[in-house]
Amino acid sequence: VSLLGAANEQQRAGVIAAHMDLLLRQTREALKRAKRDGTKVVGFFPGGFVPEELIYASGAIPLCLASGGDARVADEALSLVPSVICPFARAQLGQMMLRTDPFYDAIDLLVVPSTCQHLKKIGDVCEYHEGPRVFKLGVPYEHDKDFELEYYRDRLGALKQRLEALTGNDITHDKLVEAAETYNHVRRLLRVLAQARRGTHRTEDGSERAISGIDFARLNHASLYADPVAMAASLEEICASLPSGADLPADALGGATPARPRLLLMGPNLAAGDYDLFTMVSDAGADIVVEDIFEGIRDYWQTVDLSGHQDGIEALARAYLIDKRPAAFMRGSLLPRLDFVSGLIRDFTVSGVLWYQLLCCEFFDEESYYFETALRKRGIPMLIVESDYHSLDSGQLRTRLAAFVETLVGGPIDA
Amino acid sequence: MREFLSLCGFDEQESTALLPRVQQVFARMGLNAADVEVAKSRLTTYYDMELRGVRRLMGLFLRDFCNIILMRDDGRQQIVHACMLPGMDILGSAIMDNTAEVGLISPNTTFMVVLGCVFGKFVPILEAAERQWLKAGSVAHCGMVKSRVGLISLGLIPKPDMTITSGYVCETSPKVNEILEQVYGIPACFVDTVEDRELREYPDASRATVFAAKSMRAACRRIEQLTGFDLTDDMVWRVLNGRRPLDDAMNRVNELIRSADPVPLGSTHLNLLLALNCISFTGSELAEAVEILDTLHTELLGRSRRGIGATPKGAPRVLAIFPHHHSDPRWEYQANRAGLAIVAFDFQGASQLAGSADAISDANDPYEVIVQHLHGSFTQPLGGRIAIVLDMCRRLKVDGVLNHYHLGCRYVVGDAMILRDAILKELGIPVLMIEWDNFDPRSYNQEQYEAKLETFTGMIETRMS
């Protein structure tokens, strides 16, 4: 059964699950082979500032570490860091301590970008405890001055050297360009898949989307671990079975009011495994149709163009630091990000924003005030949901979600 | 009021001159006669007001408090608000020494001393911020950033024309200023460094210092664009050189506190010494601050010779992790009453490279000199911070460590447990862990602290015996 031919949610989930199983099985097998043949595995924390092209070009296996959603794993780290370190960051440490996840156990080098206070601290703890060898990749908070780009370029150069020393392979310009294209292909396919969600596709169960939010998140998460070539093959197959979102007109719904409210999911992170919210939103009568997430979701809106550049590292630095929309931790990022999500709200016919933040993420907690106020002025209501991975699926939250959905469809059902 | 001014070290003539200004400020702040009575009582309870050095130190803060509030009335038409940015005290002096039009204020610490420690009225400022976007509760947000939002939203300080802060280790502070820019229309400017130091590189911090120096210089260019005032390197050098006597005087006082037995000054005063470093002194104020510290040093030396101390001779000596409470003296007071002498805090420590010529890549760049504080304990990666803390414990021969960690700061909180484990493993001395907010008096819990201090003191005494 193809995704398009799937008659209901269960069948669609089955198709995605089959792809996921295959991709992750292949990755696990690749890691086993790597241990045998000496291929190096390089883990890195998410956020979009560690160029995996560089790792891939070195011949190492890149793994973006984004597992989460399980409170027991996050709590495992409480013997080393206090509970005010966010559960997502603690989950990364918990996985390394438990050593039950083959992805985390396979790492020869851990690249820690200086993008999030919580993950930085986990990097510090890993370094102190002589866990995987750590490379700290500083990321400037601004990029409008020459010295900031120079610094980031130099650090990428240092990372390149470290990878070459680790793998024994030279990262040539050609290899880098080829690796960038490999990942660009994955990004483009994810974008096609994402844009397909702008339109509607009515299935037998009455839902109105080409691919559900949870399925898209799962596939996106798979792309953080899977070999990019295999990932692209899977995505090509899935995309071929869907109407092309890229061909949809600006008003993809043709002015029609969707039967169920369409939501934008925003927040600091969405871990691989942290999917309860999708189900709860669906149960409440709405659909998550697009997302703007800092950590845990691969950025598919921007590609990395290295062709025509003499200095691949310089081009990589520009692409990652300057060319893409600024991340939340960067100075002056509020307005550009508000513009970006306003575009998503328009293009994906979104009627409400679900702000999903993890407990103790003080940074996004501050931002929630700004976005809630700014979006309200644009007529878009926002609901803030906080999770510590322990008690998300609670009656209280279900009630809040139901009330939010009622608001979006025009007031309480029984009013 | 005159009695209060006398308590703050002003003589009759000085009081007469200062009184109208203080009255004007107190009226704006809503401080009345009853508040002044409370302040007098708190001063005599928590501070060694019999020491002239302490009285004059309080006077210095009171005057800075007035200067901040009346800065625009005094003719400075463009005001830059600095917070959580070490080194801005120097740039502030360099600016204000050379123009009467532009002011640079770092109000938070002075307000915490005067409104918090002295008047016990700091909570309304934090509550004002909590009515905006910074949630209540010490776990949610740091009291230092709340105080910034509170002071501005309540209009207790002149509305600045620009804010400037650093993101050396803090994500919250720059984000607060960014939101202030959107909400109040105050342009925000940032000084940053890079956080990529690896333990194997310790104590080298050159990437961080070189980057921070460039960033600080770029921020000064933005201040110049805003104000039209050119800040030259010579101006900055003059302040850097001019402040050396202050640093020396401060070191003499701190060294005496660390070395004397009994410790001659109550631990509540350590916060005053820390806050003094945040003031941008202008004109003759710098010489006066040096004189005050020298007076204090002489008095403490006298106490020491006579065997007078804030705690008994032989009292357990402890190192504090994270600085002393900024807006509430009750914890340090209680620690002294429990028989503990706090002799230093870890942010005063630095790697062996700090202050050496090897640490500076361009000796002609005054901004590189300013950012040398990045060698300090605070901005080190975990392993570096542990090395510095262990070294301090050994050098100061402390009997225990008070690890009161500031929940609002994920950077320091993240270190707390591993730091404790390292101290226990390497030195075997007791470590007391206390969660609190360093700037919020509401985190004070007498019963809890009493019980913890009793246990901690007992552990130390058992070990000492």
Side-chain angles (χ1 to χ4, degrees):
Chain A
V1 180
S2 72
L3 206 61
L4 188 63
N8 53 39
E9 194 71 49
Q10 205 177 358
Q11 280 193 6
R12 271 199 305 277
V15 174
I16 299 294
H19 280 282
M20 294 275 297
D21 282 351
L22 177 66
L23 289 164
L24 297 181
R25 195 167 62 241
Q26 285 172 340
T27 307
R28 280 193 288 271
E29 283 163 7
L31 293 178
K32 278 184 198 162
R33 277 198 307 278
K35 282 291 152 207
R36 285 198 301 271
D37 65 21
T39 301
K40 300 300 178 188
V41 179
V42 178
F44 62 95
F45 286 151
F49 286 87
V50 180
E52 52 202 316
E53 295 85 345
L54 202 53
I55 301 168
Y56 194 69
S58 75
I61 297 174
L63 291 178
C64 180
L65 305 177
S67 168
D70 185 343
R72 287 168 303 176
V73 177
D75 289 354
E76 188 69 23
L78 286 174
S79 61
L80 293 177
V81 291
S83 57
V84 291
I85 296 296
C86 93
F88 176 74
R90 280 192 281 116
Q92 309 318 308
L93 187 57
Q95 289 287 14
M96 289 177 204
M97 293 165 76
L98 286 168
R99 305 195 65 175
T100 50
D101 184 319
F103 296 165
Y104 286 77
D105 205 29
I107 297 164
D108 297 297
L109 175 71
L110 175 65
V111 182
V112 181
S114 64
T115 52
C116 155
Q117 200 68 264
H118 300 256
L119 285 176
K120 262 184 292 189
K121 194 48 67 183
I122 297 303
D124 255 11
V125 173
C126 290
E127 182 186 44
Y128 184 72
H129 281 279
E130 299 175 324
R133 294 176 64 194
V134 171
F135 181 91
K136 291 181 182 169
L137 179 64
V139 183
Y141 298 94
E142 292 181 286
H143 54 65
D144 57 340
K145 297 172 278 298
D146 289 345
F147 70 87
E148 290 153 344
L149 177 65
E150 281 166 20
Y151 164 80
Y152 187 55
R153 182 200 61 205
D154 289 351
R155 290 311 287 161
L156 289 185
L159 176 59
K160 176 175 176 271
Q161 284 178 2
R162 188 80 172 263
L163 290 166
E164 287 175 335
L166 178 75
T167 60
N169 300 326
D170 284 344
I171 302 175
T172 64
H173 183 72
D174 289 346
K175 280 186 194 171
L176 194 53
V177 172
E178 192 184 332
E181 254 328 293
T182 304
Y183 279 100
N184 281 342
H185 191 40
V186 173
R187 292 179 186 117
R188 287 191 196 102
L189 288 163
L190 282 170
R191 191 160 65 219
V192 168
L193 203 54
Q195 292 209 332
R197 297 181 294 172
R198 288 171 54 219
T200 59
H201 170 65
R202 189 174 293 278
T203 54
E204 282 177 11
D205 66 351
S207 57
E208 282 188 339
R209 61 222 179 270
I211 182 166
S212 68
I214 190 170
D215 288 342
F216 182 80
R218 281 182 172 140
L219 280 169
N220 193 303
H221 283 147
S223 81
L224 304 176
Y225 298 101
D227 175 79
V229 175
M231 186 73 219
S234 258
L235 288 173
E236 277 172 359
E237 200 178 311
I238 291 168
C239 287
S241 69
L242 290 173
S244 170
D247 298 334
L248 290 170
D251 182 4
L253 295 183
T257 306
R260 289 156 63 93
R262 295 160 63 83
L263 305 185
L264 163 72
L265 182 67
M266 245 186 125
N269 39 40
L270 183 69
D274 187 13
Y275 302 124
D276 285 352
L277 194 62
F278 288 93
T279 317
M280 294 171 75
V281 167
S282 182
D283 291 350
D287 296 312
I288 292 168
V289 295
V290 68
E291 66 295 299
D292 180 42
I293 300 286
F294 173 42
E295 292 163 345
I297 288 287
R298 176 188 293 283
D299 181 6
Y300 44 86
W301 294 108
Q302 192 225 351
T303 47
V304 176
D305 183 14
L306 301 186
S307 60
H309 291 277
Q310 297 266 313
D311 183 347
I313 296 296
E314 164 101 18
L316 211 51
R318 280 187 180 281
Y320 272 83
L321 188 66
I322 296 175
D323 294 345
K324 66 180 178 183
R325 69 184 187 283
F329 72 91
M330 303 186 93
R331 316 296 179 229
S333 65
L334 285 175
L335 284 180
R337 285 169 53 234
L338 179 64
D339 285 346
F340 178 74
V341 296
S342 297
L344 292 181
I345 287 167
R346 182 191 61 234
D347 295 345
F348 286 78
T349 326
V350 164
S351 56
V353 171
L354 192 57
W355 183 278
Y356 177 57
Q357 69 183 41
L358 295 183
L359 202 68
C360 298
C361 182
E362 75 286 13
F363 189 65
F364 270 81
D365 188 62
E366 273 191 75
E367 285 209 327
S368 66
Y369 164 84
Y370 171 74
F371 277 96
E372 187 184 28
T373 310
L375 290 170
R376 198 189 312 124
K377 284 182 190 161
R378 289 164 166 76
I380 300 293
M382 183 172 117
L383 179 71
I384 301 169
V385 173
E386 208 167 23
S387 167
D388 63 355
Y389 289 164
H390 271 281
S391 53
L392 186 65
D393 191 1
S394 66
Q396 190 196 35
L397 179 56
R398 285 188 180 276
T399 306
R400 288 181 65 215
L401 284 170
F404 185 58
V405 172
E406 283 172 6
T407 309
L408 296 175
V409 297
I413 294 164
D414 58 352
Chain B
M1 182 70 94
R2 279 187 176 273
E3 201 182 332
F4 174 69
L5 291 179
S6 167
L7 201 52
C8 291
F10 296 106
D11 63 25
E12 197 60 34
Q13 198 181 348
E14 288 169 329
S15 292
T16 303
L18 194 64
L19 190 59
R21 197 170 167 83
V22 174
Q23 285 171 331
Q24 188 184 358
V25 163
F26 280 19
R28 279 194 198 178
M29 292 293 111
L31 295 171
N32 56 29
D35 293 320
V36 172
E37 288 307 310
V38 170
K40 286 188 318 201
S41 165
R42 286 174 68 94
L43 281 173
T44 48
T45 303
Y46 298 121
Y47 299 97
D48 292 345
M49 300 308 286
E50 69 274 18
L51 297 175
R52 179 160 168 71
V54 172
R55 291 200 302 275
R56 291 190 64 199
L57 206 50
M58 285 298 179
L60 202 146
F61 283 111
L62 182 63
R63 204 167 52 204
D64 190 50
F65 183 66
C66 296
N67 289 347
I68 291 167
I69 292 163
L70 299 176
M71 186 162 273
R72 219 180 278 285
D73 307 63
D74 290 342
R76 295 194 189 267
Q77 292 310 309
Q78 286 174 306
I79 296 176
V80 178
H81 175 289
C83 187
M84 294 171 77
L85 179 47
M88 279 317 275
D89 48 317
I90 290 162
L91 297 177
S93 297
I95 291 169
M96 293 193 288
D97 268 344
N98 290 283
T99 173
E101 302 288 318
V102 184
L104 190 145
I105 54 173
S106 303
N108 288 37
T109 41
T110 292
F111 268 71
M112 285 176 188
V113 169
V114 177
L115 271 188
C117 297
V118 178
F119 281 91
K121 293 196 78 170
F122 200 69
V123 172
I125 293 168
L126 302 170
E127 288 173 340
E130 288 160 1
R131 286 193 295 274
Q132 301 253 338
W133 66 88
L134 295 165
K135 276 181 194 162
S138 54
V139 171
H141 296 288
C142 159
M144 180 61 98
V145 295
K146 283 182 188 172
S147 63
R148 186 183 322 163
V149 174
L151 287 172
I152 290 176
S153 68
L154 291 171
L156 296 180
I157 54 172
K159 185 184 173 188
D161 299 283
M162 176 184 271
T163 63
I164 185 166
T165 188
S166 76
Y168 288 155
V169 293
C170 177
E171 291 174 339
T172 314
S173 181
K175 189 54 75 181
V176 159
N177 284 18
E178 207 183 320
I179 296 176
L180 278 171
E181 182 170 18
Q182 298 303 321
V183 176
Y184 291 96
I186 307 166
C189 178
F190 309 100
V191 177
D192 284 305
T193 185
V194 286
E195 295 165 78
D196 63 354
R197 277 182 265 179
E198 292 176 13
L199 191 49
R200 66 196 172 97
E201 298 173 311
Y202 179 81
D204 179 21
S206 53
R207 283 196 304 276
T209 52
V210 169
F211 191 99
K214 287 177 180 171
S215 184
M216 188 173 272
R217 186 179 281 279
C220 286
R221 297 294 85 84
R222 273 206 66 191
I223 294 175
E224 287 179 344
Q225 285 165 11
L226 173 85
T227 62
F229 168 73
D230 288 339
L231 179 64
T232 66
D233 281 9
D234 281 346
M235 292 174 189
V236 181
W237 275 122
R238 273 201 295 277
V239 177
L240 275 170
N241 294 329
R243 275 187 81 118
R244 275 189 196 135
L246 182 73
D247 297 338
D248 293 343
M250 183 72 79
N251 286 340
R252 282 194 291 274
V253 172
N254 279 326
E255 275 309 313
L256 186 58
I257 291 169
R258 288 170 197 170
S259 59
D261 184 18
V263 174
L265 187 65
S267 302
T268 53
H269 302 79
L270 301 176
N271 173 48
L272 305 182
L273 299 175
L274 179 67
L276 192 66
N277 272 328
C278 301
I279 296 177
S280 291
F281 296 104
T282 55
S284 60
E285 291 171 357
L286 187 65
E288 188 190 349
V290 174
E291 192 204 325
I292 289 170
L293 287 175
D294 285 344
T295 301
L296 181 61
H297 181 255
T298 305
E299 288 176 306
L300 296 182
L301 213 52
R303 275 188 164 191
S304 189
R305 282 177 188 140
R306 296 195 302 278
I308 299 170
T311 46
K313 188 172 173 59
R317 296 159 54 80
V318 294
L319 174 77
I321 300 294
F322 212 75
H324 325 289
H325 205 290
H326 281 50
S327 64
D328 184 356
R330 287 176 294 175
W331 158 256
E332 277 78 19
Y333 180 72
Q334 201 178 348
N336 283 169
R337 284 175 71 91
L340 298 174
I342 303 170
V343 293
F345 65 103
D346 76 309
F347 286 10
Q348 292 172 320
S351 75
Q352 64 269 32
L353 262 185
S356 78
D358 292 345
I360 298 175
S361 64
D362 181 358
N364 295 316
D365 183 355
Y367 295 95
E368 266 214 51
V369 176
I370 293 175
V371 300
Q372 289 304 304
H373 59 79
L374 289 170
H375 288 281
S377 163
F378 184 35
T379 58
Q380 293 286 349
L382 173 59
R385 191 169 178 214
I386 288 173
I388 291 169
V389 167
L390 293 177
D391 177 59
M392 286 183 89
C393 289
R394 289 184 182 110
R395 269 192 304 112
L396 299 174
K397 297 184 172 60
V398 297
D399 303 297
V401 174
L402 286 171
N403 191 350
H404 40 50
Y405 56 99
H406 172 48
L407 280 174
C409 178
R410 309 309 193 234
Y411 188 83
V412 288
V413 167
D415 291 348
M417 294 161 81
I418 294 175
L419 203 48
R420 176 197 60 192
D421 292 346
I423 294 165
L424 290 173
K425 187 178 159 197
E426 294 291 323
L427 307 174
I429 57 176
V431 180
L432 176 62
M433 303 277 277
I434 288 182
E435 292 182 348
W436 74 357
D437 184 299
N438 225 66
F439 315 99
D440 188 343
R442 292 170 299 182
S443 64
Y444 180 76
N445 182 329
Q446 183 169 352
E447 289 73 24
Q448 187 203 50
Y449 290 173
E450 212 164 73
K452 285 197 167 194
L453 281 169
E454 193 181 324
T455 310
F456 182 58
T457 312
M459 286 169 71
I460 292 180
E461 282 170 354
T462 305
R463 192 172 177 276
M464 285 170 81
S465 63

